[in-house]
Amino acid sequence: MSTHQQDMSLVTSTPPINNGNQIFPEIEMSGDSSSIVRATVVQACTIFYDTPATLDKAERLLAEAADNGSQLVVFPEAFIGGYPRGSSFELAIGARTAKGRDDFRKYLASAIDVPGPEVERMAEMARKYKVFLVMGVIEREGYTLYCSVLFFDSHGQFLGKHRKLMPTALERCIWGFGDGSTIPVFDTPIGKIGAAICWENRMPSLRTAMYAKGIEIYCAPTADARETWLASMTHIALEGGCFVLSANQFCRRKDYPPPPEYTFSGSEESLTPDSVVCAGGSSIISPLGIVLAGPNYEGEGLISADLDLGDIARAKFDFDVVGHYSRPEVFSLNIKEHPRKAVSFTSKVTKDETVKN
């Protein structure tokens, strides 16, 4: 565990309330401003192919974060439904296999409908623990999957979702593409909250759309555990003048089903059950580019920080990318926010209805 700021230190502390059931040590930073939001990013692994058990694990983690005073809790990309790391689904150009098709069948079964019973369960969790919840899920619509983020307020209200606009590499063979209708920024009592998932954070137009909507707490669930990811998160915090909360899973080979049920393509022979296949790197960055907590490459954990919302104005004084530092007479951006449906139905209008209108 490390920090790049000499005037700040990461400490592991015993939470004020845990009833003897603490799951992970909490890694925290403290502020002293009057406009403080306590935020936590969860670094933990899905229980693969077992969505009910993963929801139970999510609730335990959420309860622990709430006991530690968190008002906002962000989970990793695809935490519910699972990130199929290493799996090729036995795809090749022009070819499929029976096992690959069955792997997709099992993965589809682990996904959730939005709305649906799992969404109701998450809403109840947010209400019960009085936290704003941002959850990475695999969403199922018919037989197409989407990598999505769901948002809930502290009263248990489902606020909406963001679907990943651009899956990366082989992800495009198993996930559909989001559209402009799910790029929300929600105005909440703790700040304006939105999310972008993994490498779509590298898309300047998407980031600019979110900045234009006034995002203040920018959530970045991811599957990228490389050390270079922190540079991207720091840049976004500085560019947007917003807090960036990046949550990733920490997974070992044994957290996935064993072979031959589940195979890490190209590397299975070199892995042991304890081999780390995703090292996490979750972090929290301030609008001034200060690393408040993380990155954590050590294991599962709760990474927390106090967000001084006054830092947003302090950062915007330097640079407001869609305000005083913009040049609209030179550059413009058009966002198409309407849903893009493959099939649209137009009801037949009778002559009498036309006359009435």
Side-chain angles (χ1 to χ4, degrees):
M1 183 61 57
S2 64
T3 177
H4 300 302
Q5 305 304 318
Q6 293 181 353
D7 59 338
M8 295 188 174
S9 60
L10 291 176
V11 297
T12 302
S13 64
T14 302
I17 304 172
N18 68 25
N19 300 319
N21 296 318
Q22 185 180 14
I23 304 170
F24 304 134
E26 188 188 33
I27 304 154
E28 62 177 304
M29 288 296 304
S30 296
D32 57 2
S33 173
S34 59
S35 55
I36 295 294
V37 172
R38 181 72 166 173
T40 293
V41 294
V42 172
Q43 181 162 293
C45 188
T46 301
I47 302 174
F48 213 80
Y49 289 151
D50 195 337
T51 296
T54 303
L55 282 165
D56 289 343
K57 181 175 183 177
E59 181 162 7
R60 293 194 300 271
L61 294 166
L62 195 64
E64 186 174 336
D67 281 348
N68 285 306
S70 291
Q71 299 159 272
L72 169 65
V73 181
V74 181
F75 279 77
E77 177 180 10
F79 186 76
I80 305 299
Y83 186 82
R85 185 174 299 277
S87 177
S88 68
F89 290 83
E90 298 198 352
L91 282 167
I93 294 175
R96 305 285 192 275
T97 69
K99 183 181 183 305
R101 291 189 176 99
D102 203 53
D103 288 346
F104 181 77
R105 177 193 63 79
K106 290 187 289 186
Y107 190 51
L108 182 80
S110 298
I112 66 171
D113 297 322
V114 180
E118 293 86 1
V119 177
E120 294 173 3
R121 167 101 187 261
M122 285 181 268
E124 174 57 24
M125 288 160 48
R127 185 204 63 79
K128 179 179 178 181
Y129 299 105
K130 298 180 175 60
V131 298
F132 287 82
L133 172 61
V134 179
M135 177 65 76
V137 307
I138 299 302
E139 176 192 357
R140 179 178 57 223
E141 184 176 305
Y143 291 92
T144 295
L145 300 177
Y146 297 91
C147 182
S148 300
V149 171
L150 308 184
F151 301 84
F152 303 86
D153 71 14
S154 58
H155 300 290
Q157 179 72 32
F158 173 51
L159 299 176
K161 68 185 177 186
H162 165 62
R163 282 179 173 174
K164 193 172 188 177
L165 285 172
M166 177 53 70
T168 300
L170 196 64
E171 293 174 357
R172 298 174 197 170
C173 296
I174 55 170
W175 296 341
F177 293 61
D179 59 36
S181 68
T182 66
I183 312 176
V185 172
F186 299 102
D187 193 354
T188 78
I190 63 169
K192 295 179 180 179
I193 302 172
I197 306 169
C198 206
W199 276 20
E200 67 176 1
N201 283 285
R202 293 180 168 190
M203 300 172 70
S205 296
L206 173 59
R207 298 199 308 268
T208 303
M210 295 170 69
Y211 301 153
K213 292 184 177 185
I215 193 165
E216 295 171 330
I217 301 176
Y218 185 116
C219 303
T222 187
D224 191 336
R226 297 172 305 165
E227 292 185 2
T228 53
W229 184 251
L230 184 65
S232 292
M233 297 299 95
T234 303
H235 171 78
I236 292 170
L238 287 166
E239 179 182 66
C242 53
F243 289 95
V244 175
L245 282 60
S246 184
N248 194 5
Q249 299 194 33
F250 183 95
C251 307
R252 299 183 186 275
R253 176 61 185 91
K254 63 186 177 185
D255 292 317
Y256 285 81
E261 180 184 5
Y262 191 102
T263 302
F264 277 71
S265 180
S267 62
E268 187 65 57
E269 295 76 11
S270 65
L271 297 175
T272 70
D274 287 324
S275 294
V276 174
V277 295
C278 182
S282 302
S283 61
I284 300 176
I285 319 292
S286 86
L288 296 166
I290 298 169
V291 180
L292 299 178
N296 176 5
Y297 298 106
E298 297 177 357
E300 293 192 324
L302 303 178
I303 296 92
S304 296
D306 291 337
L307 314 184
D308 178 359
L309 299 185
D311 281 345
I312 296 169
R314 297 178 187 108
K316 297 285 191 181
F317 174 69
D318 294 345
F319 184 83
D320 185 353
V321 68
V322 292
H324 63 77
Y325 223 91
S326 65
R327 289 293 304 277
E329 76 280 16
V330 180
F331 306 108
S332 64
L333 178 64
N334 180 38
I335 311 298
K336 300 177 178 67
E337 289 194 308
H338 57 283
R340 309 286 288 188
K341 297 292 185 181
V343 180
S344 297
F345 294 92
T346 302
S347 299
K348 182 179 179 181
V349 179
T350 66
K351 183 177 181 181
D352 289 343
E353 289 174 330
T354 303
V355 172
K356 291 177 182 177
N357 291 332

